[in-house]
Amino acid sequence: MRTLDQARLPQPDLAEVEIGTVLQALADPVRLQIVRLLSRQGTAACGELDVPVKRSTVSHHLRTLRETGLLETHLKGNTRVSKVRREELDRRFPGLLASILDAAPAVPAAPPEEEPGGADGER
Amino acid sequence: MRTLDQARLPQPDLAEVEIGTVLQALADPVRLQIVRLLSRQGTAACGELDVPVKRSTVSHHLRTLRETGLLETHLKGNTRVSKVRREELDRRFPGLLASILDAAPAVPAAPPEEEPGGADGER
DNA sequence: CGACATCTACGATACACATCGAACATGCAT
DNA sequence: ATGCATGTTCGATGTGTATCGTAGATGTCG
């Protein structure tokens, strides 16, 4: 019958979203990871996301990301399928997602760096 | 005894800085404001920054921003002159600062419905 | 020299929020 | 229907951190 409840959960208009709000949402490591995963996988259900927190916490983060405007979520049967609102975000904040998702990882070490040739005065 | 005190306070190599760390630093409204002000003014001392927190808090945020790699600070006499490490940041995270600083402010609110042109007689 | 400035360091406080477990709702199968 | 899965919501808890006031370090100036 109505296996087609493709209902979409409420989400904000991106025009009303401040850049600070987006930054705050992406500042959490788990949420950033979720956005990264979704950007690569396209879509995923809550339970499919490989993040090191419990299910209820993932749900909380997905809610935060959706209410912030970063994700859209569709109801599909018993599961919620989420994906990044990439095109809308690119229109609202040009270059933002690209610069974040394409950022190269940091070099592992801050090696014990000692500079010969003098005291680097600080104080 | 002139400007020999052009010493630069210690700052990280941007190669070692994760994008998540930068996002976390910029997630705070006051810090984002500071970066915005410095981007426009070029440089500023701690006391010149027009932000709604006390001096000691500004100092704390400047330290955070510097240790995160966003700012560099030079000692000039008794004052610390800070500025955004714009070029280095653009090299490490291309497009990031631009997309954040150029982001358009959000539209004030989403009136539930009510098409424009109505009688907004309030206020 | 002493008085005053800028700025940081330190301890204390308060609040936000990330996290969890348990309870509940819903859908799909058997 | 019962059972099992997926997700959400709720309350509680712990931690991180933004904020402040005060004290101290340092530099400038009269």
Side-chain angles (χ1 to χ4, degrees):
Chain A
M1 305 335 174
R2 58 269 187 76
T3 46
L4 293 183
D5 19 282
Q6 277 283 18
R8 194 187 56 198
L9 273 62
Q11 63 184 35
D13 185 344
L14 285 189
E16 309 164 14
V17 177
E18 295 281 1
I19 181 70
T21 309
V22 174
L23 294 176
Q24 216 160 6
L26 294 177
D28 182 89
V30 175
R31 282 197 292 264
L32 181 58
Q33 176 82 1
I34 289 175
V35 171
R36 267 200 265 252
L37 289 173
L38 284 177
S39 290
R40 242 177 311 169
Q41 304 180 4
T43 66
C46 177
E48 297 172 340
L49 290 167
D50 186 28
V51 286
V53 290
K54 294 301 177 190
R55 187 78 51 93
S56 60
T57 305
V58 177
S59 180
H60 166 65
H61 283 312
L62 287 177
R63 176 190 174 94
T64 298
L65 288 169
R66 175 172 54 81
E67 290 179 350
T68 306
L70 285 169
L71 302 186
E72 71 179 73
T73 302
H74 292 267
L75 297 178
K76 180 164 187 177
N78 199 7
T79 69
R80 270 87 168 158
V81 179
S82 298
K83 66 175 176 181
V84 180
R85 295 169 66 179
R86 184 64 191 258
E87 296 181 10
E88 294 175 88
L89 285 165
D90 283 346
R91 243 177 288 130
R92 175 69 177 91
F93 303 108
L96 180 66
L97 265 189
S99 64
I100 293 175
L101 297 174
D102 296 349
V107 302
E113 112 183 41
E114 255 174 67
E115 294 200 9
D120 60 305
E122 84 192 51
R123 137 184 247 291
Chain B
M1 56 236 301
R2 294 277 308 256
T3 43
L4 184 61
D5 10 288
Q6 273 287 18
R8 195 187 57 200
L9 272 62
Q11 63 186 32
D13 186 345
L14 284 189
E16 308 166 13
V17 176
E18 295 281 1
I19 180 71
T21 308
V22 174
L23 294 177
Q24 212 160 4
L26 294 177
D28 183 88
V30 175
R31 282 196 293 264
L32 181 57
Q33 177 82 1
I34 290 175
V35 171
R36 268 200 264 251
L37 290 173
L38 284 177
S39 289
R40 239 175 313 169
Q41 305 180 6
T43 66
C46 177
E48 297 172 338
L49 290 166
D50 184 29
V51 286
V53 291
K54 294 301 176 191
R55 188 76 51 94
S56 60
T57 305
V58 177
S59 180
H60 165 64
H61 283 313
L62 286 178
R63 175 190 172 94
T64 298
L65 287 169
R66 176 173 54 83
E67 291 180 350
T68 306
L70 285 169
L71 303 185
E72 72 178 75
T73 301
H74 292 266
L75 296 179
K76 179 164 188 177
N78 199 7
T79 69
R80 271 85 170 159
V81 179
S82 298
K83 67 175 176 180
V84 179
R85 296 169 66 181
R86 184 63 191 257
E87 295 181 10
E88 295 175 86
L89 285 165
D90 284 346
R91 244 179 287 129
R92 173 70 177 91
F93 303 109
L96 180 67
L97 265 189
S99 64
I100 292 174
L101 296 175
D102 296 348
V107 302
E113 43 267 32
E114 239 73 52
E115 74 296 338
D120 46 314
E122 305 176 345
R123 206 182 286 278

